[in-house]
Amino acid sequence: MGPKIGGYLSRIDDTSGHHAAVLYGRDGKIKLEIDEQSRATFFDGAFSIGRSATVTVAASNASSAEKAQADIVCSGANDHIQIQEALDILDARGGGRCGFSEGDFYIAASINIASNISLFGMGPTATTLRLVNTGAPINLLQTKNYATVRSMRIHIKDLLLLGDSTGGNAGTCFYANMAYSRLENVWMQDASVDGMVLDCQTGDTATENVLTGCQFRKNGGIGLHLKGSVREIFLNSNFVYSNTGTGIKIEGESVKIAQHIYLTNNWIEDNDHGVEVVDGQNLSFMGNEIAQNGKHGVYIHKVLGLSSSGFVFTGNIFYSDGMDATDTYDSINIDGLSGTYKALRLLATGNRFAGNNKTRYYINLGANSANGLVSSNNFGSGTVVTAPVIDSGTGNIVRDNLGHVTENHGTAASVADGGTIAHGLAAAPTFVSVASSVAGEIATVSGVDGTNITVDIKDNDGSAGTTQTIYWKAEV
């Protein structure tokens, strides 16, 4: 890299429609000019920038040393102007890096970030882009022309994007239409609406985006909202908590379904719903902690007439969801639409659940769910109001879960004709077999309920048989 550039940015327009971005040195001489018509670059001095250009921006309250080494020093008022000019220079060069010092940057208009640009700070506890209340709907940061253009290869790291919690600006911390991009250690909080929106409505797909180590907290709407044609989204080790709306909402729109979303090792707590999936498919939840949300921990349902299938839950911890109302909300609630568009193929295995005398069910398989498998989960800690699992769907299998007995067998002694055997199952069995221990006598099932199996014991002539040991097996 060449030597650092110091000075300030300006934009020149003439009547012919020609535009140029100019960086002035501290001595007032032009150091860099980018002609936006020809993309030609002119330099005064022996240095180069190239596609890997880095521009550093210092806050008004940065240290003297940081200001001395920065390319741009902000004033603390309308800092978005100088930041945007820096990003426009990088955009004109085809991309580059914009680094921020420690301190606070005051933003009164949306900052637009284009493809191939990286933003990085000194850490979210050190570098803050702070939205100023202007009374207008402003996104603090947004991808350039997001309504019509999908940006690509954006990288944002080590920043706090602080919204306007007073509600004066009805905007997000970050509104993005992007692909092949990455956010690391970015905190988005106190937006009056959603913390971050990833929205692809342009005929493209917001694909292969990674969000890792980020925080979405205390936003007035949804913490993280994925909507439209989104797929191959990787959410790893993020903190999503204390949002007024849903923590993470994944939502297909029109004929676009959200799919192939992977949530791993996230902490999702104290939101409305923890995670809400509307018209999604092929979603994986692995190693997350989903706790103390007001409504459902995970709520999967449908609005559109589109296929919806493939939901995998493994190694997650759920506890104390449904805090808003007793016996109303569940840890996992899944349902589809009646008829063709059911919610299909839920797989829940190896998860741990704990209740708080408010959670209704740990897993609620709705009437329009089908062909799911709930197996090898731990329902043994805490309490739920109604039952660990309810299956109102079609073709679902619930088996081998700790704390929810769905199959049992044994030997019952001293059973008389018309006597009962306690089956110990979580619900009335749908399959029961009994066998007599006395030669020549026949044992049959005459009734079942949520607690007992009623057994008739008859001799060959139809008379009551002897009191005896009965071998039995029952399954829900």
Side-chain angles (χ1 to χ4, degrees), residues 408-413 421 433 469-474:
N408 205 357
H409 66 278
T411 302
I421 301 170
S433 67
T469 297
I470 296 294
Y471 307 101
W472 65 275
K473 181 178 180 181

Side-chain angles (χ1 to χ4, degrees), residues 196-476:
M196 175 179 172
V197 178
L198 178 60
D199 180 9
C200 194
Q201 300 290 326
T202 58
D204 294 307
T205 300
T207 186
E208 296 188 40
N209 294 299
V210 177
L211 281 67
T212 182
C214 297
Q215 291 194 18
F216 307 88
R217 58 179 180 169
K218 298 181 180 180
N219 294 292
I222 298 164
L224 171 62
H225 193 177
L226 311 180
K227 59 190 296 190
S229 182
V230 293
R231 60 182 299 162
E232 281 83 46
I233 307 298
F234 300 87
L235 309 177
N236 178 59
S237 300
N238 301 292
F239 291 81
V240 185
Y241 61 97
S242 296
N243 296 286
T244 302
T246 293
I248 300 174
K249 187 171 185 178
I250 301 166
E251 181 179 20
E253 291 184 348
S254 184
V255 295
K256 303 165 184 174
I257 197 161
Q259 57 185 318
H260 302 293
I261 315 293
Y262 305 90
L263 294 88
T264 57
N265 302 318
N266 301 287
W267 178 38
I268 305 167
E269 183 174 344
D270 188 30
N271 306 285
D272 189 40
H273 297 297
V275 180
E276 182 179 5
V277 180
V278 187
D279 298 299
Q281 68 178 14
N282 299 323
L283 274 67
S284 295
F285 296 76
M286 298 171 286
N288 303 286
E289 186 167 316
I290 301 174
Q292 295 183 320
N293 294 287
K295 295 179 181 175
H296 300 304
V298 176
Y299 181 30
I300 299 173
H301 61 113
K302 292 185 61 57
V303 174
L304 306 174
L306 299 171
S307 61
S308 186
S309 64
F311 304 98
V312 177
F313 293 83
T314 182
N316 301 285
I317 297 174
F318 293 84
Y319 67 89
S320 301
D321 289 306
M323 297 292 289
D324 284 357
T326 300
D327 198 21
T328 305
Y329 301 107
D330 315 309
S331 297
I332 299 175
N333 181 294
I334 179 169
D335 208 356
L337 297 175
S338 60
T340 303
Y341 302 108
K342 297 183 181 294
L344 303 173
R345 292 187 289 278
L346 166 77
L347 172 63
T349 181
N351 303 286
R352 182 176 178 270
F353 296 81
N356 61 347
N357 288 316
K358 283 183 174 286
T359 309
R360 179 177 54 181
Y361 303 104
Y362 290 139
I363 299 180
N364 185 341
L365 301 169
N368 296 305
S369 66
N371 304 329
L373 174 63
V374 177
S375 178
S376 303
N377 299 286
N378 184 346
F379 300 128
S381 176
T383 56
V384 287
V385 174
T386 306
V389 180
I390 183 171
D391 178 12
S392 304
T394 304
N396 296 309
I397 298 173
V398 181
R399 286 284 181 272
D400 301 319
N401 297 286
L402 179 64
H404 184 73
V405 181
T406 51
E407 52 280 320
N408 205 357
H409 66 278
T411 302
S414 303
V415 180
D417 179 39
T420 60
I421 301 170
H423 53 65
L425 300 180
T430 57
F431 168 81
V432 180
S433 67
V434 294
S436 170
S437 61
V438 176
E441 295 188 352
I442 300 172
T444 58
V445 177
S446 59
V448 295
D449 60 26
T451 305
N452 296 309
I453 304 166
T454 302
V455 180
D456 286 348
I457 303 172
K458 303 299 182 183
D459 205 343
N460 286 331
D461 60 5
S463 61
T466 58
T467 298
Q468 61 183 271
T469 297
I470 296 294
Y471 307 101
W472 65 275
K473 181 178 180 181
E475 297 178 355
V476 174

Side-chain angles (χ1 to χ4, degrees), residues 156-171:
I156 305 174
K157 184 177 181 181
D158 295 334
L159 291 170
L160 168 58
L161 306 181
L162 187 64
D164 170 36
S165 60
T166 67
N169 291 329

